[in-house]
Amino acid sequence: MSENENAAASRKGRPRSSTADDAILGATRALLAERGWATLTVGDVAVRAGVAKTTLYRRWASKNELVTAAVADMLGTLELPEDGDLRSDLDSVVRQFAQLLARPEMSSALMGLIADSTRDPELRRRVREAIVEPQKRLVVEGRARARARGEVGVADAIDVDLVFDVIAGTVVHHMLVSAEPAAEEWVGRFVAFVTAGLVGCAPGG
Amino acid sequence: MSENENAAASRKGRPRSSTADDAILGATRALLAERGWATLTVGDVAVRAGVAKTTLYRRWASKNELVTAAVADMLGTLELPEDGDLRSDLDSVVRQFAQLLARPEMSSALMGLIADSTRDPELRRRVREAIVEPQKRLVVEGRARARARGEVGVADAIDVDLVFDVIAGTVVHHMLVSAEPAAEEWVGRFVAFVTAGLVGCAPGG
Amino acid sequence: MSENENAAASRKGRPRSSTADDAILGATRALLAERGWATLTVGDVAVRAGVAKTTLYRRWASKNELVTAAVADMLGTLELPEDGDLRSDLDSVVRQFAQLLARPEMSSALMGLIADSTRDPELRRRVREAIVEPQKRLVVEGRARARARGEVGVADAIDVDLVFDVIAGTVVHHMLVSAEPAAEEWVGRFVAFVTAGLVGCAPGG
Amino acid sequence: MSENENAAASRKGRPRSSTADDAILGATRALLAERGWATLTVGDVAVRAGVAKTTLYRRWASKNELVTAAVADMLGTLELPEDGDLRSDLDSVVRQFAQLLARPEMSSALMGLIADSTRDPELRRRVREAIVEPQKRLVVEGRARARARGEVGVADAIDVDLVFDVIAGTVVHHMLVSAEPAAEEWVGRFVAFVTAGLVGCAPGG
DNA sequence: CGCTAATCGAGACGGTACGTCTGGTCTTCTA
DNA sequence: TAGAAGACCAGACGTACCGTCTCGATTAGCG
């Protein structure tokens, strides 16, 4: 029913070009990587995509929405390693986070979106939904696996939100504020720290 | 010699008005609080400060430099509590950090600066020098006190840079990305986690 | 071919608003009359015309070009009287010239353009093409009529360029440098002088 | 006595540097020649003269006054030739006018001053007094000589103001608007025309 | 096959902020 | 007190983007 209605609604007139969508998001990513958030221009994106500004604004109402879409589109499905333990899961999550932030089109865009979102609740909702939450599921999944492995004490100690804030926040701060790469050795130290924190907080720890 | 020359050089002509400096930084803070980073305008700051744009640009060459100065100026020297222990020191630092970030003129400005600094090494240097490093001394001082109190094992486990990234990053992420207030109870949980991490990493832990 | 291409090229996109042209030139004339050349501001013209600055700059690249267009637009095609003789033709031309210069939007603008054109050959070309030459045709036409009336000797004595310089230059100098109105009586004396000069220069004079 | 009084008056404080006056006027002329009226800057004049802006403004209250002074200062005492007749006097006057206008620092400045003077009666008074009138005396003197030579009829026909407007206006228009040099041959034609006009207007002509 | 309606590229439009420049004044120190 | 130096206010400059709009030209499905 609803399908028919939608179909009926969209059946009239010239359908939107799906290649335009891809071209726009691709151009956005390319320009984010080349020039960063601040100097990214909607007009430039349109030119780079070979598309009229109208076509772009018909799809995304603002630079913020456009960048959110482009970045979200870029996030592949992250995975936990098979047959891991608490520590290797942690290690994997930190590494994957760091890899995301290491992309030039990610770091600049992400901080820009967060900056704007401090004044725009709707944008904050979008950013969390499209970018932040998908990563948080790794922590949830990690806890479920720990529980399944019988590491009940530690698993119960995992406050998903807190652990996520610690992991994401620390990696971001390390890479963007302290401006240091997430080297092998640093990841090891950080994971050790988090592991100790989790174990220390466990009831039976 | 060079000092004398500089002094002589800067003694010529009408000296810069120090009241203008204060008025400009004050206006910047006020507008950051009212409207946030994105909509902050150099021209508006000048008008609000009752100052010509030239006067402003003579001191700070860009919006970024201006905001950096205003934010740095806002960060009074934070203090560790007297007669504390490791846990109360941590608790105090987290609380003070959270209070700073709760100011509307801080959150928006800070993320904006970090976003821009991902593409501007000179800005990153400024931000670290004027904003980040002064707070880091709290961690250094905390370690020194722990050592003085004889908590040698734990003190040696404190990697200043890592601990700072964990504290600052987590608080920022919690408040600005997760957008949750740093409630009494949350601070407790976070401090417990960090303490456990430190103890767990200590050689004799 | 090239014509077709040009036509095709200019057919693309939203066409320029012709009402904007009129509004801009009208506002320019009004502000020239009210405040003169020196205090005329491109921004004020745009505001007065109810038009964005970009719209104005898209058409005229500078204050000089804008004023040239406005002044040229103001110069309706002057006419020689029907059934006149040499003297009445001269009288009419001088009077019409003086009337144009008496308009406050003309005097200030014209001298400003000439001043700038002393340093800007391109502007000089524009001014001559749009403002000076159209009036010169009156002298050419006057000579043709004299010849047609059989005043061959006098007609042959008319050096168009010289006569034009004398008429235009003298009227301008009288009104703008000597700052005297072109009174009835003055026009009479000047026309008598020019007539005598022409007759005196004629071969059979 | 009077010297003593003056000395007493000027004995207070540091006396004004007379070299500064020369340096300023010289710099003004140089910059007028190099860049013209429109792009002449008071600040640049001060720099070129090696003088503070204060020093400049203490002497001349505005760019207009400064340029008027610089141009007036440049006009040497013009002279009529000895033992001439009406025609050679005219020839001389036209030539001297043309030479003045041929200087790049004159043409641009003069038109600029006239443009501004259309809106500023005080400036117009200054310009006439310092620049225009001194030249007009040549016509007065020429008439006196003609009368002394017994050319009474022609001399009485000379309306000084009209003749001056014709000469000055035509030469200016020829050189600055028509943008032609005042060639030998052109001067001859123009002088012939004026002479014919004068003779034709004379009572006994 | 023509009609209707939404889409497309192109580019003009009204606004707003930018960072620079100039005019003319004011304030400090030095001579 | 004048002078050199240079900071100060005020405001115009010409440019760059924003997000909207108006064109003519496509490009579908529906009758």
Side-chain angles (χ1 to χ4, degrees), chain D residues 106-124:
Chain D
M106 271 302 274
S107 51
S108 181
L110 205 52
M111 292 297 103
L113 290 174
I114 292 172
D116 276 16
S117 75
T118 60
R119 289 278 158 181
D120 180 349
E122 167 62 16
L123 173 63
R124 182 156 51 221

Side-chain angles (χ1 to χ4, degrees), chain A residues 26-37 40-41 44-46 48:
Chain A
T28 304
R29 283 191 291 270
L31 288 173
L32 275 175
E34 286 173 22
R35 307 206 318 231
W37 161 268
L40 181 76
T41 279
D44 287 349
V45 170
R48 177 81 153 241

Side-chain angles (χ1 to χ4, degrees), chain A residues 33 119 159 165 173 178 189, chain B residues 33 119 159 165 173 178 189:
Chain A
R119 289 277 159 180
D159 173 340
D165 283 339
H173 200 272
S178 298
R189 270 189 291 134
Chain B
R119 288 280 156 180
D159 173 340
D165 282 340
H173 199 273
S178 298
R189 270 190 292 134

Side-chain angles (χ1 to χ4, degrees), chain B residues 62-110:
Chain B
S62 69
K63 175 173 161 176
N64 280 334
E65 290 191 20
L66 172 62
V67 172
T68 305
V71 166
D73 193 66
M74 207 161 45
L75 297 177
T77 310
L78 305 188
E79 299 281 355
L80 288 180
E82 300 292 328
D83 302 323
D85 57 8
L86 183 65
R87 179 142 191 166
S88 68
D89 284 356
L90 262 175
D91 196 86
S92 167
V93 166
V94 169
R95 236 176 267 276
Q96 292 182 66
F97 233 74
Q99 271 176 9
L100 284 177
L101 275 181
R103 297 196 204 175
E105 63 268 39
M106 270 302 274
S107 50
S108 180
L110 207 52

Side-chain angles (χ1 to χ4, degrees), chain C residues 88-102:
Chain C
S88 69
D89 284 357
L90 262 174
D91 196 86
S92 167
V93 165
V94 169
R95 235 176 268 277
Q96 292 183 65
F97 233 75
Q99 270 176 10
L100 282 177
L101 275 180

Side-chain angles (χ1 to χ4, degrees), chain D residues 20-30 45 49 60 65-66 69-71 73:
Chain D
D21 293 58
D22 298 343
I24 292 168
L25 294 179
T28 305
R29 285 191 289 271
V45 170
W60 297 281
E65 288 192 22
L66 172 62
V71 167
D73 192 65

